[in-house]
Amino acid sequence: MIAQQDRKLALSYISVAYIAFLIGTLMGLLQVFIRNDKLDLPAWLDYYQILTAHGVLLALIYTTFFIFAFFITGMSKSLGTFGPKVRLWSWVGFWVTLLGTVMATVLIVIGEASVLYTFYAPLKANGWYYVGLALVIIGTWIASFALIGHYRVWRKNNKGQLSPLFAFMTITTIIMWLIACLGVVATVLFQYIPWAFGWTDTINVELSRSLFWFFGHPLVYFWLLPAYIAWYVIVPKILNVPVFSDSLARLAFVLFILFSIPVGFHHQLTEPGITNFWKFLQVVLTFMVIIPSLMTAFTMFANFEISGRKKGATGLFGWFKKLPWKDIRFTSIFIAMAFFIPGGAGGIINASFQLNEVVHNTLWVVGHFHITVGTPVAMTFMGLTFWLIPYLTGRKFTKSMKVLAFVQIITWSIGMLLMSTAQHVLGLLGAPRRTAYSGYNGHPSAMEWFDGILSSHVTMAVGGSILFVSAMILIYIVVMSMFLSPKALKVEDQVEFPMAESDKSHTPKWLENWWIWIGIAFVLIIIAYAIPLSSMIMHAPPGSEGFKTW
Amino acid sequence: MSKKNEHDGLDLRGTLISVLAVGIIIIVMWVAVYMMYVAR
Amino acid sequence: MHFHKFEKIWLVFGIISLIVFLSVVGITAFSHDHHPAGGMDTIDPEKVNETAPFDNPGVTQLDEDTYQVAIVAMAFGYTAPELKVPAGKEIIFKVTSTDVVHSFTIDDTKVNMMVVPGQITTRSYIFDKPGKYLILCNEYCGTGHHYMFTEIEVY
Ligand code: HEM
Ligand SMILES: [Cu+2]
Ligand SMILES: [Cu+2]
């Protein structure tokens, strides 16, 4: 078990994560019923306020706090107990991020920031909302540098050695995150905050959008990579096999540093202000970032097959039956991976230049991110939560909790299958996202969208309700393992942190030379962004005043 | 498992077929949306 | 760094698929003009109503086979009187906004354009089938976002 003080740190992060999850999923439930026109809101509450809370609390806060809890635990386990400075700065990071979260949430609740989690200008929220979001980012930077400091101490004490795989992957994710945030920090600090507080009159809208998406795409990899860490490092241990290939795992991760950032224009394919050349160039770079995910898919199946064959499986697919299906730590993540197959395929479609016109801002996109971040990532985090909290609290993961965990995972899968399929189909038919109720005065086209069995409000609402029940079961499991489950006094009751052996003996040392990867990343960023961004600044139209249209 | 070439000698036929199935899913979904695009 | 033989096969297969996808969209986009909506023209968002072509929004016939449709988007509607265009002719849509970001999206077509204040978004489209098409805004623009729609009639 890791040091008591490191455990306290991780548990604090997890607690915030699940408070955000609780509120966020409640908002999700309200959304499916408001969209269905089955719920009238009181005058002080608005659909878009609820949707802003859902996006911020789940996509930004739940993920970020959980990720840091996971990183802190794994880094303490793989590199050793935190020193006093690392611990201090991790706490500072925690409080700053929390402060930012609370500020942003309060402003959403009082109706001063119904601008959604993407806060596109010139919708103008209360300036403190942007300050809150900036603090969230700055807090994660502080916590990130604390972890980097911990890593550097280890490197100094272990000269010439490659770091453990978990630490390597954590540092990769953090480097990507630090670079990615430059975009959002630039726009929030230099554009939004001065404008929202009235120090400047207008804002360059297209520039703010581009800087946001400079951050927005790597943001999704900031969610995904921690899940990949679990897939690469934790799943093999549960399967009782070594890491499939240490060097290829590291290679896949550094490719994410290179290619997850210079691709943000794939979110802006249908908008003006960027020439087709630059849009297409970033589409090509987007396709590059698919390659490490193809490598990941192979590694995952290889883990399964090797593990099954070790247990005596024969034939082509005999290994499938030998997988540890009764172990929820495995089954949860397996289902998460399965959801990522259509999820990833949908992502390729979204990024395919003009095909984006079919899906852009339709419900398809909502379906898409619920089967990428909403399930593959979130369900991996759930699968980690089951043992991570007992590991940190020293409590048992009891039999009844294991049964409940199965119920939770199965219900989430069913709910998500219903809701996301409905959303995908509705989106292909043309139904828009981010809409309280898309009836358009009973326009026949709109009526047609919702006329199918799958493509109906009812399917979405049923799916959403099952999801909410599942979320509440998870909250119950979290509370039990935090405070109430019996203490694991006997060794055999203690919950382990499963971390697979990784054979580093064939891994080239240059993979851990960060300056190479950071250098290439910046070269690619400059190639992809320097010219289009400077032309947005030099050929800027008169800027926009702010509008409060809610 | 021989140490030199970590992976040789592993029977990964099931893996190959599985990933190829993933590939087919990707292609089918992509082509379907491409056809919708062309039809609009 | 050693790849299993099957992993090489898989990666080659995968990368070739990606190249094919890219080639299909790239070639049709750049050689057949199938690229998504866009455009580099700018405009003063406070002077939209005085600036051509938005001082006279609606349909204008440019020549025998081309029509231009100028539209101003604002919370929560479109200034676009009498949208009637013929099928089988090239229709060039030009859209801008006087306030926040919107979209101009015609149901069941390839017209799905972001409308950004300060910029003019352009897309050309040829309707095959006559009928009434729903136009809607699919970018969040405020409380009335889901009421922002209109219609275009194709004859
Ligand atoms: C109880 C479970 C959930 C339900 C019922 C639910 C439902 C929904 C619905 C109906 C929307 C679309 C609203 C619209 O476009 O009008 C939505 C949006 C969204 N959801 Fe969820 N969701 C759930 C869980 C999650 C999770 C776990 C995540 C991520 C970790 C997530 C992330 C998002 C995001 C980022 C949006 C987009 C917000 C925006 O457009 O600004 N959701 N959700
Ligand atoms: Cu993206
Ligand atoms: Cu709108």
Side-chain angles (χ1 to χ4, degrees):
Chain A
M1 214 192 290
I2 60 170
Q4 162 81 30
Q5 284 160 305
D6 297 354
R7 283 190 272 149
K8 206 168 139 203
L9 192 54
L11 281 169
S12 306
Y13 271 99
I14 292 196
S15 310
V16 179
Y18 277 101
I19 294 169
F21 184 81
L22 172 68
I23 308 172
T25 49
L26 178 62
M27 301 296 121
L29 180 72
L30 295 179
Q31 281 152 221
V32 289
F33 284 101
I34 302 167
R35 293 192 62 103
N36 198 355
D37 215 14
K38 284 286 179 289
L39 191 66
D40 281 323
L41 290 177
W44 50 269
L45 195 63
D46 171 76
Y47 179 79
Y48 300 103
Q49 196 179 355
I50 292 176
L51 187 58
T52 307
H54 181 77
V56 169
L57 289 174
L58 286 172
L60 303 179
I61 303 306
Y62 168 63
T63 49
T64 302
F65 275 88
F66 189 88
I67 288 166
F68 275 96
F70 181 46
F71 282 177
I72 287 166
T73 316
M75 290 292 264
S76 177
K77 179 171 168 75
S78 57
L79 301 186
T81 302
F82 288 4
K85 256 167 77 195
V86 172
R87 191 171 294 139
L88 172 71
W89 286 107
S90 300
W91 278 112
V92 174
F94 171 80
W95 287 109
V96 173
T97 318
L98 182 58
L99 175 68
T101 305
V102 171
M103 279 171 66
T105 311
V106 167
L107 286 152
I108 296 168
V109 170
I110 63 173
E112 288 284 300
S114 301
V115 293
L116 305 185
Y117 82 110
T118 43
F119 55 91
Y120 292 141
L123 290 168
K124 185 154 129 188
N126 185 312
W128 294 102
Y129 177 70
Y130 305 112
V131 174
L133 293 179
L135 287 176
V136 168
I137 302 288
I138 292 165
T140 65
W141 276 10
I142 298 171
S144 294
F145 277 110
L147 287 173
I148 291 177
H150 188 51
Y151 165 82
R152 290 187 52 171
V153 171
W154 187 93
R155 286 293 294 269
K156 236 198 317 209
N157 296 335
N158 296 270
K159 279 230 154 56
Q161 276 191 52
L162 286 164
S163 61
L165 192 53
F166 188 99
F168 180 94
M169 291 176 154
T170 298
I171 297 298
T172 320
T173 312
I174 284 176
I175 289 175
M176 186 206 69
W177 176 246
L178 293 175
I179 303 176
C181 287
L182 294 173
V184 73
V185 166
T187 184
V188 168
L189 243 43
F190 300 121
Q191 293 193 278
Y192 282 94
I193 289 181
W195 168 72
F197 285 109
W199 308 328
T200 52
D201 295 330
T202 62
I203 190 167
N204 180 338
V205 175
E206 193 49 37
L207 180 66
S208 73
R209 296 172 64 80
S210 302
L211 289 172
F212 178 84
W213 284 113
F214 175 103
F215 156 82
H217 187 77
L219 170 66
V220 313
Y221 281 96
F222 175 67
W223 303 329
L224 184 64
L225 292 190
Y228 273 15
I229 298 180
W231 299 5
Y232 272 103
V233 184
I234 286 162
V235 168
K237 179 69 178 182
I238 299 172
L239 292 172
N240 223 342
V241 293
V243 169
F244 177 64
S245 166
D246 186 81
S247 54
L248 294 183
R250 288 177 204 245
L251 177 68
F253 265 63
V254 296
L255 290 176
F256 284 115
I257 299 189
L258 304 189
F259 293 111
S260 60
I261 302 166
V263 297
F265 286 167
H266 71 222
H267 292 264
Q268 302 174 274
L269 291 171
T270 65
E271 74 189 53
I274 307 162
T275 64
N276 282 313
F277 173 81
W278 293 109
K279 286 179 183 173
F280 194 75
L281 180 86
Q282 294 209 7
V283 164
V284 174
L285 289 167
T286 307
F287 273 58
M288 299 291 290
V289 80
I290 298 164
I291 295 169
S293 284
L294 297 179
M295 294 167 63
T296 304
F298 189 89
T299 304
M300 296 308 125
F301 283 111
N303 282 335
F304 302 155
E305 184 163 7
I306 294 167
S307 145
R309 291 199 185 281
K310 241 172 76 177
K311 290 180 193 154
T314 54
L316 266 184
F317 290 109
W319 46 270
F320 191 77
K321 283 192 245 110
K322 300 270 182 191
L323 294 173
W325 296 114
K326 292 202 174 118
D327 186 343
I328 191 62
R329 299 173 305 164
F330 171 76
T331 307
S332 55
I333 296 189
F334 182 90
I335 298 175
M337 291 172 180
F339 267 97
F340 200 54
I341 296 170
I348 299 177
I349 293 166
N350 300 344
S352 290
F353 205 46
Q354 67 269 41
L355 298 203
N356 185 257
E357 289 186 318
V358 178
V359 296
H360 183 69
N361 273 352
T362 68
L363 275 175
W364 160 284
V365 174
V366 181
H368 167 71
F369 53 66
H370 284 97
I371 61 165
T372 44
V373 63
T375 303
V377 170
M379 198 184 277
T380 298
F381 292 176
M382 294 166 191
L384 298 176
T385 300
F386 297 144
W387 54 262
L388 190 61
I389 299 181
Y391 173 77
L392 293 167
T393 54
R395 292 177 192 274
K396 285 194 213 170
F397 183 31
T398 59
K399 255 224 168 83
S400 56
M401 284 300 125
K402 284 179 186 163
V403 173
L404 266 186
F406 263 102
V407 175
Q408 193 266 313
I409 290 298
I410 303 292
T411 43
W412 191 276
S413 311
I414 295 170
M416 200 49 97
L417 204 62
L418 291 173
M419 186 176 87
S420 72
T421 311
Q423 288 166 339
H424 275 94
V425 176
L426 281 165
L428 287 178
L429 295 174
R433 72 184 280 204
R434 293 179 157 176
T435 41
Y437 174 68
S438 20
Y440 299 108
N441 258 347
H443 194 280
S445 307
M447 294 301 110
E448 237 171 72
W449 302 329
F450 296 100
D451 218 19
I453 297 176
L454 267 178
S455 64
S456 71
H457 284 303
V458 176
T459 309
M460 228 164 93
V462 171
S465 310
I466 299 176
L467 278 168
F468 181 71
V469 171
S470 175
M472 292 310 107
I473 300 175
L474 182 61
I475 294 291
Y476 178 73
I477 297 174
V478 167
V479 171
M480 288 300 286
S481 12
M482 280 264 188
F483 307 109
L484 298 168
S485 286
K487 285 270 180 193
L489 300 171
K490 285 182 284 179
V491 182
E492 67 265 26
D493 285 339
Q494 278 169 12
V495 174
E496 245 319 286
F497 187 128
M499 201 181 269
E501 296 289 321
S502 192
D503 175 9
K504 297 185 284 192
S505 58
H506 298 284
T507 306
K509 291 275 190 303
W510 48 263
L511 277 171
E512 199 153 355
N513 188 340
W514 300 110
W515 297 115
I516 303 179
W517 309 119
I518 295 172
I520 303 176
F522 273 101
V523 170
L524 289 170
I525 288 169
I526 289 168
I527 292 173
Y529 270 117
I531 295 175
L533 285 191
S534 35
S535 93
M536 270 173 215
I537 295 169
M538 288 186 305
H539 305 292
S544 284
E545 294 173 13
F547 295 88
K548 186 167 184 260
T549 52
W550 68 93
Chain B
M1 255 187 289
S2 81
K3 272 279 154 209
K4 191 87 195 77
N5 265 339
E6 314 151 70
H7 297 149
D8 289 349
L10 286 178
D11 182 356
L12 294 179
R13 289 169 298 147
T15 301
L16 180 64
I17 293 176
S18 307
V19 284
L20 289 177
V22 170
I24 303 290
I25 294 174
I26 294 174
I27 293 172
V28 167
M29 280 178 63
W30 193 90
V31 170
V33 177
Y34 182 75
M35 309 243 271
M36 286 191 71
Y37 173 81
V38 172
R40 281 190 181 177
Chain C
M1 215 166 307
H2 176 77
F3 287 87
H4 188 279
K5 192 169 91 206
F6 288 170
E7 182 160 10
K8 285 183 199 153
I9 297 175
W10 160 239
L11 288 179
V12 169
F13 173 86
I15 291 169
I16 289 177
S17 309
L18 296 180
I19 292 173
V20 171
F21 293 166
L22 276 178
S23 313
V24 170
V25 294
I27 292 168
T28 54
F30 288 96
S31 71
H32 297 75
D33 249 12
H34 279 179
H35 32 67
M40 299 303 285
D41 294 338
T42 57
I43 186 170
D44 184 338
E46 287 177 13
K47 300 211 174 78
V48 169
N49 297 327
E50 299 121 76
T51 314
F54 303 102
D55 53 349
N56 181 21
V59 185
T60 341
Q61 182 161 12
L62 297 181
D63 61 42
E64 182 93 9
D65 295 313
T66 345
Y67 291 72
Q68 176 176 289
V69 179
I71 285 165
V72 181
M74 64 191 66
F76 303 100
Y78 302 96
T79 316
E82 280 285 305
L83 288 183
K84 277 191 184 167
V85 294
K89 307 272 177 180
E90 182 180 9
I91 317 291
I92 300 168
F93 291 97
K94 285 191 179 286
V95 195
T96 192
S97 164
T98 55
D99 46 39
V100 298
V101 179
H102 300 277
S103 96
F104 179 83
T105 303
I106 308 181
D107 183 44
D108 211 17
T109 68
K110 290 177 188 139
V111 182
N112 186 3
M113 345 171 27
M114 295 296 288
V115 185
V116 179
Q119 316 269 343
I120 299 171
T121 319
T122 306
R123 196 189 194 300
S124 90
Y125 184 71
I126 301 172
F127 290 91
D128 291 333
K129 278 185 300 233
K132 284 190 172 165
Y133 290 75
L134 171 64
I135 296 173
L136 58 88
C137 171
N138 71 15
E139 180 58 272
Y140 170 66
C141 52
T143 325
H145 165 55
H146 51 293
Y147 297 117
M148 183 163 167
F149 72 101
T150 181
E151 244 187 3
I152 185 167
E153 187 181 329
V154 179
Y155 56 88

